[in-house]
Amino acid sequence: MIRKGSLLLLLSMACLSLRAAAEPVQKTAELLDIIAPAKSEQAWLQIPWETDLAAARRKAAAQDKPVFLWEMDGHPLGCT
């Protein structure tokens, strides 16, 4: 049999855990709003990038334009 005091304690703990669980979700949403790039910072995604170097060279030569090569070596997070 559960006593009234024990039941009250269990209910209080349940309410506190529900409230604590909601806070990280709200904080995560706020952080995402802060760190997510703005639309103006994503304009480079609209460029039709060529991922094949040979195809890019042919296309550039046909249009008499230079090739912009964005290249990197190693792990993207710098863990080499």
Side-chain angles (χ1 to χ4, degrees):
M1 177 179 279
I2 298 176
R3 296 182 185 170
K4 287 182 183 179
S6 299
L7 183 60
L8 182 60
L9 179 62
L10 286 173
L11 288 173
S12 297
M13 290 174 63
C15 288
L16 286 174
S17 66
L18 287 174
R19 182 175 161 200
E23 286 179 11
V25 172
Q26 182 179 5
K27 289 185 182 216
T28 302
E30 290 172 4
L31 284 175
L32 286 175
D33 287 341
I34 292 170
I35 63 174
K39 294 278 187 194
S40 62
E41 297 173 323
Q42 296 182 1
W44 67 275
L45 292 172
Q46 305 306 315
I47 298 171
W49 296 101
E50 183 65 60
T51 57
D52 180 4
L53 181 58
R57 291 182 70 189
R58 285 190 298 274
K59 191 174 182 180
Q63 297 177 3
D64 195 31
K65 291 185 176 180
V67 173
F68 175 75
L69 184 62
W70 185 348
E71 183 270 333
M72 65 181 286
D73 295 326
H75 194 278
L77 297 177
C79 305
T80 56

